[in-house]
Amino acid sequence: MVPFLSVLTILLSASPPGAQMSNPGQEEGPTSTSGQPFPWHHMRLPKTVSPLHYDLAIHPNLTTLDFSGVVRIQLEVHRDTSLVILHAKQMQISEALLLAPEGARPLRVLEYPRFHQLALLLDSPLAKGGTYQVLLGFSANLSDSFHGFYKSSYRTSSGEVRVLASTQFEATFARAAFPCFDEPAFKAKFTIQIIREPRHIAISNMPIVKTVELPGGLLEDHFDTTVKMSTYLVAYIVSDFLSVSKTTHRGVKISVYAVPEKIDQTALALDAAVTLLDFYEEYFHIPYPLPKQDLAAIPDFQSGAMENWGLSTYRETALLYDPHKSSPSDKLAVTKVIAHEYAQWFGNLVTMEWWNDLWLNEGFAKFMELISVNVTHPELQVDDVFLGKCFEAMEVDSLPSSHPVSTHVENPVQIQEMFDDVSYDKGACILNMLRDFLTPEAFEIGIIRYLKHFSYQNTVSQHLWESLSNLCSPDHLNKGDRKREEFCSARARHSTASQQWFSDDELDVQAIMDTWTLQEGFPLVTVEVRGREVRLSQERYLKTDDPSLTEGFLWQIPLTYVTSASSTVHRFLLKTKTDVLYLPQEVDWLKFNVDMSGYYMVHYAGDGWNAIIHLLQHNHTVLTSNDRASLIHDVFQLVGVGKVRLDTALDLSLYLSRETETMAVTQGFEELVPLYKLMEKRDMAALENQMKGYIVDLFRGLIDRQNWDDSGSVSERVLRSYLLLFGCVRNYPPCVEKATRLFNEWRASGGHMSLPVDVTMAVFMMGARTPEGWDFLFEKYRTSLQMSVKSRMKVAMAFSPLRDKLAWMLEQSVQGDVMKLQDLPDVVVTVSRNPRGYNLAWDFLRANWHTLIKKFDLGSNIIAYMVTGVTNRYSTTEMLDEVKRFFGSLTEETGSEMRSIQQTYETIQDNIRWMEAHLPELQAWLDKHRPRIV
């Protein structure tokens, strides 16, 4: 093997970072930056060679805010070639060598910025079956966005600004940090060295094996070699962080890193991380393959977290928790995000072949939040949150612009757009449906089989379906697989048990699940009862006025139902457009999609909805809270597509005056509040206030019963916070008076008085209504080190009626000094939901569009969140025309082709249709029922 050239020599001789490479025009063939033809015409890399191992040395300079490095890549050649194509983005290549036994030979380098590609041209071919090494010296600026190798900073309590450098490589940004084969299927091992100043530390995927002193007082940390993994999972940080550590039962070292003044907020994350890693090792029957796992709270971070192997990174609000200042919702959020990132067996160990199957990583991780947190932290009641995620996925999936869970993507913008509710939440919800269908035991055995068979490999969806099929076939039963042997033995003994409602030879998991992953949307199942006969039909649920768009869709739907005569969960696999099932006796009512375990909606035709309304009004607790929430969701969603009259949905909502369970209450709000939100952006104050009054009166009894303290279960505390906040925002006098008094007392104490955590959001919201209160909140926001408290203050300030404060807050968020740039999307969307600020948010989005897409990246879920969040309550043709004028003026390079823009058009059109069809009906119903709602 050729010795590794002196890292320091190459780094010190590297060229300084240059300006961003220009984009060539649309030629007949690609042209490199030198004007020569570029020898590769495709976005995807060729498979003539693949990397086996990277030796990466990198030196970030936190004073000049640039970095330089050298990477040596060991290559395996699959076909004779005189050409190596790999990725590099916005960096200068100072040296390119082929390292051969006879010595190092320079390589000619061509660059094609449009596809972020480098071509290394050799004077003699690399032979098939051989292994070779190429060495590249490179340099670039630290990114001022949130991806690649980027600069972050924080301000100490004394006002000092400190700088650090961190990575975020998913999906296509490792290429902006070092030249590499930046596609998930090009897995390799990485040995990393980082040069730093003594005042900093460096952490990476693996532990440090040694530190070497270099001339000039610098230190070089050498990290152990990683397991085989994709480039997007590489991570390193240079900072002044402190850490706390524990070990798991099997001896894996868990460490949480944070800025020094916030290290005392890491205890919850550390304990949760240890507990969850122990759970996953036992659940998957595969030991965690690394010796350590770090969690780092990054002051500037675009998404919630990133599952880099051995070094997961988090937004501070997603990792830090103060037991005296944070809420139960904060505790659930921190635990849930760690559970998501720690489900690394999906994604890190077994990785999707290409980004079209991102859901195999992220949908599984979202699903494992439910499984793991339910077992390790049952008191957090994660089921409620999971059900809400299924409703959120349906909101996006009901639009014509939705996409299949597994869908073709090619360029980086399309890849970024895959990180959405469909890949994450729908992916998780259809996995939960499949688990319920197969039984939890069979599902667990199948995914263990999948993970063991494909460890350190790349997969497609079909591999998962094959692993979940024929679990008890003699051909697939290996001796020593104790868990599967026990399961299959028990299945054989109890083959007539109620949970076994299919036989293995009838079960085609791929045929079932292809209908859920290869076509967009989801089914609406219509149920009509005629005596003992239940007639079933399915169609696509779609918010459109074009019925042709619903044609040609067919799902295999695992139906579940209970009836007035039997609380046993009955099952039926609906494979055809229509079918009939027969009940053993006539029933008063039936409820399909038990506990909302299936990803479909249900319409009860004939007298079905009236029977359910009668049941809810007289004995609603016969059904579970999840069942009640799904009925509320479905009936209001069916109004929008003309299946149910609005007065039927509103009649059902009347029972909510007796509801006490969090999921059903919050779903009631989720369906009723948008009705007046549509009116807030129109000149129709009378009907708007009448609708607001109805909701307040509906929940008045429950609001009045809330204590202004932190007592009760997690679910009760979450509901309390929700109800008191709503009461204050809607000017319900008892809430307003109590919250205003508490704010004045808190302010008089200089902010030192301890407020009950559960009421702080309501108290801050009231305080932000006056200039003096707003200024006091901002001062506390500026100096607070508690991230969850800062988050609540930020929301309260952004919902203030003081327009000048809202405008100032938006501008401050762009500057990123006192208010972090990472918080800008939340500020923009919260202001847009503020009836006094929605036009400010829209004007701001347009005026700062080019800055936003540069900072948050075109196609990202953050850009989509702002686009849809600002516009999704517009309901007039005038606003639709204005939105279309702005987005229609963009080019493809500035976002005109983004899916979120099409979603925006479709949502506004649906709002317009709803308002035109239902406003008179709403007015009539509210007038009729006003005396009853007291």
Side-chain angles (χ1 to χ4, degrees):
M1 180 179 288
V2 177
F4 196 15
L5 300 181
S6 168
V7 170
L8 187 61
T9 300
I10 294 177
L11 289 178
L12 295 178
S13 64
S15 302
Q20 179 177 345
M21 292 180 271
S22 60
N23 225 350
Q26 296 292 328
E27 300 86 4
E28 291 184 4
T31 302
S32 67
T33 52
S34 65
Q36 297 172 279
F38 192 78
W40 185 249
H41 295 232
H42 306 284
M43 182 82 68
R44 299 280 296 275
L45 299 180
K47 292 184 168 56
T48 50
V49 302
S50 60
L52 295 172
H53 187 273
Y54 293 80
D55 280 293
L56 172 63
I58 196 158
H59 177 201
N61 188 320
L62 300 189
T63 303
T64 59
L65 302 181
D66 54 31
F67 63 93
S68 51
V70 59
V71 62
R72 183 176 65 181
I73 311 174
Q74 183 181 14
L75 301 174
E76 182 178 18
V77 181
H78 307 294
R79 289 198 298 273
D80 291 356
T81 183
S82 298
L83 181 69
V84 174
I85 305 292
L86 71 165
H87 289 113
K89 180 181 179 183
Q90 297 177 12
M91 60 176 55
Q92 292 290 321
I93 304 300
S94 58
E95 192 161 14
L97 301 172
L98 176 68
L99 304 180
E102 62 273 17
R105 307 203 312 263
L107 297 169
R108 192 155 63 94
V109 180
L110 297 178
E111 300 171 289
Y112 186 46
R114 183 172 175 229
F115 289 174
H116 311 149
Q117 290 174 352
L118 293 180
L120 309 180
L121 283 66
L122 302 101
D123 50 17
S124 59
L126 306 179
K128 178 182 178 180
T131 58
Y132 300 82
Q133 295 185 57
V134 295
L135 182 145
L136 297 166
F138 59 91
S139 57
N141 294 312
L142 286 171
S143 172
D144 60 357
S145 66
F146 297 93
H147 44 256
F149 193 24
Y150 69 94
K151 183 201 92 167
S152 177
S153 65
Y154 69 95
R155 189 183 297 272
T156 68
S157 57
S158 64
E160 178 190 358
V161 175
R162 296 185 182 176
V163 176
L164 60 132
S166 182
T167 57
Q168 171 59 39
F169 290 164
E170 192 178 35
T172 58
F173 300 113
R175 65 191 66 174
F178 61 97
C180 58
F181 295 79
D182 199 17
E183 294 181 6
F186 286 104
K187 288 190 169 186
K189 295 183 177 182
F190 296 81
T191 304
I192 296 173
Q193 301 168 28
I194 298 177
I195 296 174
R196 60 176 172 87
E197 295 179 78
R199 65 193 175 103
H200 293 132
I201 63 164
I203 50 177
S204 187
N205 303 84
M206 297 295 286
I208 293 176
V209 293
K210 68 177 179 178
T211 298
V212 178
E213 292 188 14
L214 300 178
L218 297 174
L219 300 176
E220 184 178 69
D221 293 324
H222 292 236
F223 295 88
D224 207 350
T225 301
T226 71
V227 296
K228 188 178 178 184
M229 65 186 195
S230 304
T231 50
Y232 76 88
L233 294 170
V234 175
Y236 38 85
I237 300 168
V238 177
S239 70
D240 67 343
F241 287 175
L242 298 180
S243 66
V244 294
S245 302
K246 285 187 177 181
T247 56
T248 66
H249 287 320
R250 208 178 51 81
V252 178
K253 183 180 180 181
I254 307 293
S255 301
V256 182
Y257 287 81
V259 303
E261 291 181 310
K262 298 174 184 175
I263 196 67
D264 60 346
Q265 299 178 48
T266 56
L268 171 69
L270 183 60
D271 289 342
V274 170
T275 302
L276 285 161
L277 198 65
D278 282 335
F279 168 82
Y280 281 133
E281 286 194 319
E282 181 177 347
Y283 185 87
F284 295 135
H285 290 247
I286 300 173
Y288 178 73
L290 305 184
K292 63 96 175 176
Q293 175 68 41
D294 299 333
L295 303 84
I298 311 299
D300 299 281
F301 200 81
Q302 177 171 317
S303 55
M306 176 61 205
E307 69 273 17
N308 312 302
W309 230 350
L311 173 55
S312 51
T313 47
Y314 300 76
R315 185 180 282 230
E316 287 185 322
T317 50
L319 196 66
L320 303 181
Y321 176 88
D322 183 330
H324 304 295
K325 301 286 186 181
S326 301
S327 70
S329 295
D330 298 326
K331 184 176 184 179
L332 173 60
V334 169
T335 307
K336 202 157 59 72
V337 76
I338 294 172
H340 185 102
E341 306 313 324
Y342 268 35
Q344 296 173 0
W345 285 254
F346 296 97
N348 298 15
L349 183 67
V350 179
T351 312
M352 75 266 142
E353 178 76 23
W354 181 242
W355 298 106
N356 63 301
D357 275 327
L358 173 68
W359 83 279
L360 286 174
N361 294 13
E362 300 297 356
F364 249 112
K366 179 64 70 173
F367 166 72
M368 289 309 301
E369 293 177 21
L370 172 71
I371 303 303
S372 62
V373 177
N374 249 338
V375 172
T376 60
H377 298 81
E379 76 283 357
L380 295 180
Q381 296 170 287
V382 70
D383 306 69
D384 291 353
V385 178
F386 186 83
L387 182 60
K389 290 298 178 184
C390 297
F391 294 150
E392 288 178 21
M394 286 180 164
E395 187 71 23
V396 174
D397 210 17
S398 64
L399 298 173
S401 58
S402 186
H403 64 88
V405 167
S406 180
T407 194
H408 175 78
V409 291
E410 193 71 15
N411 63 54
V413 172
Q414 292 171 342
I415 293 168
Q416 285 286 90
E417 288 188 314
M418 288 296 289
F419 291 78
D420 67 355
D421 287 347
V422 173
S423 296
Y424 282 68
D425 298 339
K426 180 180 179 179
C429 295
I430 63 174
L431 286 170
N432 189 52
M433 176 175 66
L434 180 60
R435 177 177 182 259
D436 182 71
F437 173 77
L438 295 175
T439 74
E441 298 80 10
F443 183 84
E444 183 180 343
I445 289 167
I447 62 174
I448 292 170
R449 178 180 173 188
Y450 167 77
L451 291 171
K452 287 186 174 180
H453 184 76
F454 293 103
S455 290
Y456 302 103
Q457 298 179 56
N458 296 82
T459 61
V460 296
S461 296
Q462 181 182 346
H463 293 139
L464 176 62
W465 310 143
E466 291 169 353
S467 299
L468 287 162
S469 301
N470 304 314
L471 293 178
C472 295
S473 166
D475 297 335
H476 292 90
L477 269 176
N478 300 321
K479 287 187 177 180
D481 195 344
R482 182 178 54 81
K483 186 160 189 161
R484 193 163 8 145
E485 288 176 354
E486 291 175 354
F487 169 79
C488 294
S489 175
R491 171 177 282 191
R493 290 195 305 270
H494 304 290
S495 59
T496 59
S498 61
Q499 72 264 28
Q500 179 60 24
W501 55 286
F502 55 82
S503 59
D504 280 342
D505 58 355
E506 294 174 331
L507 178 63
D508 188 340
V509 174
Q510 180 168 349
I512 295 169
M513 295 309 294
D514 278 354
T515 69
W516 296 93
T517 60
L518 300 182
Q519 60 184 351
E520 68 271 23
F522 60 92
L524 167 64
V525 176
T526 297
V527 177
E528 187 171 7
V529 181
R530 297 187 179 180
R532 291 177 48 234
E533 184 179 276
V534 181
R535 299 188 177 186
L536 305 169
S537 63
Q538 63 163 294
E539 61 188 291
R540 183 183 177 188
Y541 176 86
L542 191 64
K543 294 178 178 178
T544 181
D545 53 5
D546 183 354
S548 68
L549 296 178
T550 65
E551 296 172 0
F553 289 84
L554 185 69
W555 286 266
Q556 293 197 28
I557 312 171
L559 299 177
T560 55
Y561 64 97
V562 292
T563 73
S564 60
S566 172
S567 60
T568 300
V569 177
H570 301 275
R571 302 176 182 275
F572 185 83
L573 185 63
L574 180 62
K575 295 183 177 182
T576 53
K577 200 77 173 173
T578 61
D579 209 332
V580 178
L581 62 84
Y582 296 92
L583 302 173
Q585 63 190 93
E586 292 190 16
V587 297
D588 296 326
W589 55 264
L590 41 68
K591 164 67 172 68
F592 273 77
N593 201 359
V594 177
D595 280 335
M596 185 70 190
S597 59
Y599 188 73
Y600 59 92
M601 286 181 9
V602 184
H603 171 42
Y604 301 91
D607 199 44
W609 280 112
N610 289 334
I612 285 170
I613 290 169
H614 183 270
L615 172 68
L616 291 174
Q617 288 175 341
H618 292 87
N619 193 13
H620 67 275
T621 57
V622 168
L623 299 175
T624 66
S625 175
N626 278 10
D627 274 332
R628 303 195 300 267
S630 70
L631 288 169
I632 296 164
H633 171 268
D634 289 4
V635 75
F636 276 94
Q637 295 302 312
L638 291 171
V639 171
V641 294
K643 295 286 186 180
V644 172
R645 286 179 53 84
L646 177 60
D647 55 9
T648 300
L650 291 169
D651 285 347
L652 185 146
S653 75
L654 286 167
Y655 105 89
L656 285 166
S657 64
R658 294 184 298 282
E659 183 61 81
T660 59
E661 294 292 330
T662 301
M663 193 63 233
V665 170
T666 53
Q667 195 56 40
F669 280 111
E670 289 293 324
E671 301 300 336
L672 293 168
V673 167
L675 304 189
Y676 74 71
K677 282 293 179 184
L678 292 176
M679 301 174 211
E680 283 183 342
K681 296 172 176 60
R682 291 177 168 221
D683 184 19
M684 47 194 326
L687 182 58
E688 174 193 329
N689 289 328
Q690 201 172 347
M691 185 67 207
K692 291 175 180 176
Y694 167 62
I695 303 173
V696 171
D697 286 338
L698 192 62
F699 294 104
R700 176 183 293 172
L702 193 55
I703 295 171
D704 288 343
R705 291 198 295 275
Q706 301 304 308
N707 297 321
W708 288 68
D709 58 25
D710 291 335
S711 61
S713 68
V714 169
S715 182
E716 289 167 341
R717 293 182 63 186
V718 169
L719 183 59
R720 172 188 300 129
S721 184
Y722 196 103
L723 288 167
L724 296 181
L725 175 61
F726 175 79
C728 286
V729 170
R730 290 280 60 85
N731 296 315
Y732 180 49
C735 283
V736 171
E737 292 163 9
K738 180 76 170 178
T740 302
R741 179 169 59 79
L742 283 173
F743 181 82
N744 290 337
E745 292 173 1
W746 178 70
R747 182 180 165 206
S749 74
H752 300 299
M753 185 181 91
S754 180
L755 288 169
V757 173
D758 298 347
V759 308
T760 52
M761 190 72 254
V763 171
F764 293 162
M765 196 71 78
M766 296 310 303
R769 291 187 173 186
T770 67
E772 301 78 17
W774 197 99
D775 290 343
F776 184 79
L777 269 178
F778 178 75
E779 181 59 25
K780 289 299 169 185
Y781 173 90
R782 191 181 64 79
T783 58
S784 176
L785 294 174
Q786 279 80 30
M787 301 312 299
S788 58
V789 176
K790 287 173 74 82
S791 181
R792 291 195 286 275
M793 290 176 174
K794 176 187 66 183
V795 171
M797 291 187 292
F799 211 76
S800 168
L802 307 171
R803 285 174 56 86
D804 59 325
K805 300 292 189 184
L806 302 179
W808 184 85
M809 194 175 179
L810 288 166
E811 292 303 325
Q812 282 294 312
S813 298
V814 172
Q815 294 173 20
D817 182 17
V818 178
M819 305 199 80
K820 284 280 190 181
L821 182 66
Q822 68 176 10
D823 294 330
L824 174 60
D826 280 335
V827 172
V828 171
V829 172
T830 305
V831 171
S832 77
R833 292 170 180 167
N834 182 339
R836 298 294 298 274
Y838 68 89
N839 52 355
L840 288 175
W842 171 235
D843 291 343
F844 177 87
L845 185 71
R846 288 184 293 177
N848 292 276
W849 179 256
H850 296 286
T851 299
L852 295 174
I853 61 173
K854 180 182 177 183
K855 293 290 186 183
F856 295 105
D857 204 56
L858 202 61
S860 70
N861 63 334
I862 295 294
I863 293 293
Y865 168 63
M866 286 190 282
V867 168
T868 57
V870 167
T871 60
N872 66 0
R873 296 302 176 214
Y874 293 152
S875 63
T876 65
T877 54
E878 292 79 11
M879 279 310 302
L880 177 61
D881 291 342
E882 189 172 310
V883 169
K884 283 186 171 181
R885 276 196 302 274
F886 172 68
F887 289 124
S889 70
L890 303 178
T891 63
E892 183 175 351
E893 290 73 25
T894 56
S896 64
E897 301 300 312
M898 289 193 304
R899 185 185 293 117
S900 58
I901 292 176
Q902 187 59 38
Q903 290 172 343
T904 290
Y905 297 160
E906 292 166 357
T907 299
I908 299 174
Q909 288 164 346
D910 181 60
N911 292 343
I912 293 170
R913 286 194 298 270
W914 197 99
M915 296 292 271
E916 290 176 347
H918 300 296
L919 276 183
E921 194 178 0
L922 177 61
Q923 180 73 72
W925 191 91
L926 289 172
D927 289 343
K928 178 180 176 183
H929 288 80
R930 187 179 303 173
R932 295 177 55 184
I933 313 158
V934 180

